[in-house]
Amino acid sequence: MLIDGDVIKDIQPEIDVSDDTEILDASEYVITPGFIQTHVHLCQSLYRNCADDLLLLDWLRKRIWPYEASLTPDDLRLAAQLGLSELLLSGTTTIMDMGTVKHMDVVFEELVRSGIRAYCGKTMMDFGEMPPELFEDMDTALNSSQELLQRWHNAENGRIRYAFAPRFAVSCTEELLKQTKKLADEHGVIFHTHASENQGELALVRERFGRRNISYLNRIGVTGENICLAHCIWLDEEEKDILRSEKMHVLHCPGSNLKLGSGIAPIPEYLEKGINVSLGADGAPCNNNLDIFNEMRLAALIQKPIHGPQAMDAETVFRMATIEGARALGLAKDTGS
């Protein structure tokens, strides 16, 4: 394998090189693409093991939102450093991070320092019950997000990129979601959100909008290849067809889904339909670790009692942790294979 700078130039049984080429003997190792996690929350790393045995909405309202509201810039820096260290030590070299509402420049600074490749955006929430520190009106949320984009998108020669991150339909107005999609399209960046993770969440969305999550997003025009949706556990057939036809991406987080008791996403069905699925550990408090090997193992095992031992074989899961993650982020020509 010939590496020139930060690019793999060639892979052949034998390669002629000049005398001054540095030779590294990796014969005792396996060389793989760097692993890609498409849904993490670095800001939550300090709250590991402190939000156990709760359903999603209680987990958010009683533990996670008060925690995020209390974060100082120094807290957030430590959380990012801790999360990034764990990710890098377990082989993850690319992430998509959903941040918190305030002090997000600190997270971007740590992303730059770490050397990881990252897509990141501040969380936006302009509706519902939450700590006042996390609430922003739509204009403030959009303007502050655009300021972060202008400062950090394509930093470090494109290693750091911005991704708009409205939290989910429960905590966002329709207009915020529509305006965010418009901005994402204008700037050519990703729209990253949660969808259909929990039955309680689904009930709130149906009560408020008269539709299920994906059907609602489709109605308001929040669809397309730049849409990345974490979880997607509770979808009906119409919604699955929307994901497929609109080429939207599913970010599968099996460890988080198990800990919160949210359910088991029908991943083999998504793959059979041609829907792209990648992996993420989500946040430390809903998983208690950020290890991609743990997510690969769980992604395989939880489907086998339902679909049989042949389901989710090792190659399929490995692809989800590498090239399918790259595809979700628009990086398939650069990494993942």
Side-chain angles (χ1 to χ4, degrees):
M1 177 181 290
L2 179 63
I3 300 171
D4 184 4
D6 60 356
V7 176
I8 297 172
K9 290 286 191 179
D10 199 7
I11 303 175
Q12 297 290 341
E14 295 182 7
I15 301 175
D16 292 329
V17 297
S18 61
D19 291 340
D20 60 351
T21 300
E22 182 182 6
I23 306 296
L24 302 175
D25 182 0
S27 57
E28 299 295 320
Y29 298 88
V30 173
I31 298 176
T32 81
F35 293 110
I36 298 170
Q37 294 204 42
T38 51
H39 185 67
V40 298
H41 293 262
L42 291 174
C43 67
Q44 296 176 3
S45 297
L46 299 181
Y47 217 59
R48 183 191 315 256
N49 300 315
C50 295
D52 292 356
D53 308 318
L54 292 167
L55 289 168
L56 172 67
L57 295 178
D58 284 341
W59 179 84
L60 287 168
R61 291 166 176 162
K62 296 179 179 180
R63 295 286 192 273
I64 299 306
W65 287 347
Y67 158 77
E68 287 190 20
S70 74
L71 288 171
T72 67
D74 287 343
D75 296 333
L76 193 54
R77 189 177 301 280
L78 288 170
Q81 290 173 350
L82 177 62
L84 287 164
S85 296
E86 183 178 5
L87 289 163
L88 289 166
L89 285 168
S90 56
T92 294
T93 61
T94 301
I95 60 170
M96 182 154 64
D97 176 61
M98 180 173 285
T100 186
V101 175
K102 303 288 175 65
H103 316 309
M104 279 299 295
D105 282 300
V106 167
V107 175
F108 281 99
E109 290 167 7
E110 293 306 318
L111 291 171
V112 168
R113 276 191 351 117
S114 72
I116 204 166
R117 180 192 284 111
Y119 290 66
C120 181
K122 65 163 280 177
T123 293
M124 295 185 280
M125 296 193 288
D126 69 338
F127 178 85
E129 297 180 15
M130 67 190 77
E133 294 87 350
L134 299 183
F135 177 85
E136 292 180 321
D137 63 77
M138 183 186 72
D139 288 340
T140 300
L142 292 172
N143 291 337
S144 57
S145 295
Q146 290 181 87
E147 290 169 2
L148 286 166
L149 180 145
Q150 290 165 6
R151 283 196 291 275
W152 296 107
H153 185 56
N154 281 326
E156 298 294 294
N157 295 318
R159 180 165 61 80
I160 308 300
R161 301 183 190 178
Y162 200 78
F164 285 104
R167 194 154 208 146
F168 63 158
V170 171
S171 63
C172 295
T173 61
E174 179 174 317
E175 193 61 24
L176 174 62
L177 295 173
K178 291 164 67 173
Q179 290 300 318
T180 301
K181 173 62 163 115
K182 181 180 177 182
L183 286 171
D185 291 346
E186 288 176 358
H187 291 284
V189 301
I190 288 171
F191 182 112
H192 176 204
T193 191
H194 304 84
S196 303
E197 179 179 359
N198 169 275
Q199 292 276 35
E201 167 210 349
L202 197 64
L204 286 176
V205 172
R206 295 186 70 169
E207 177 184 347
R208 187 172 158 206
F209 303 111
R211 293 172 178 263
R212 301 169 69 95
N213 262 289
I214 310 303
S215 176
Y216 164 64
L217 293 177
N218 185 52
R219 180 181 68 77
I220 65 174
V222 180
T223 56
E225 291 188 58
N226 65 340
I227 304 293
C228 290
L229 303 173
H231 307 301
C232 293
I233 299 171
W234 303 103
L235 273 58
D236 64 13
E237 292 306 312
E238 176 192 3
E239 292 180 299
K240 295 169 189 174
D241 289 340
I242 291 170
L243 289 186
R244 177 186 53 78
S245 64
E246 294 294 328
K247 299 180 180 179
M248 299 156 78
H249 305 277
V250 173
L251 320 177
H252 180 40
C253 306
S256 170
N257 299 160
L258 290 174
K259 182 182 170 183
L260 293 173
S262 297
I264 297 175
I267 301 303
E269 185 179 351
Y270 293 161
L271 297 177
E272 186 175 345
K273 287 178 176 289
I275 298 167
N276 184 47
V277 181
S278 55
L279 289 176
D282 208 341
C286 63
N287 189 319
N288 293 348
N289 76 76
L290 302 178
D291 186 348
I292 187 64
F293 287 92
N294 188 58
E295 296 310 304
M296 285 191 283
R297 182 174 189 269
L298 291 175
L301 292 184
I302 63 177
Q303 302 294 342
K304 294 181 184 296
I306 303 170
H307 301 283
Q310 295 87 3
M312 300 296 284
D313 60 84
E315 181 177 348
T316 297
V317 174
F318 191 83
R319 288 180 61 87
M320 288 167 58
T322 53
I323 188 61
E324 309 304 358
R327 186 168 289 114
L329 300 177
L331 288 171
K333 293 182 179 179
D334 301 317
T335 191
S337 64

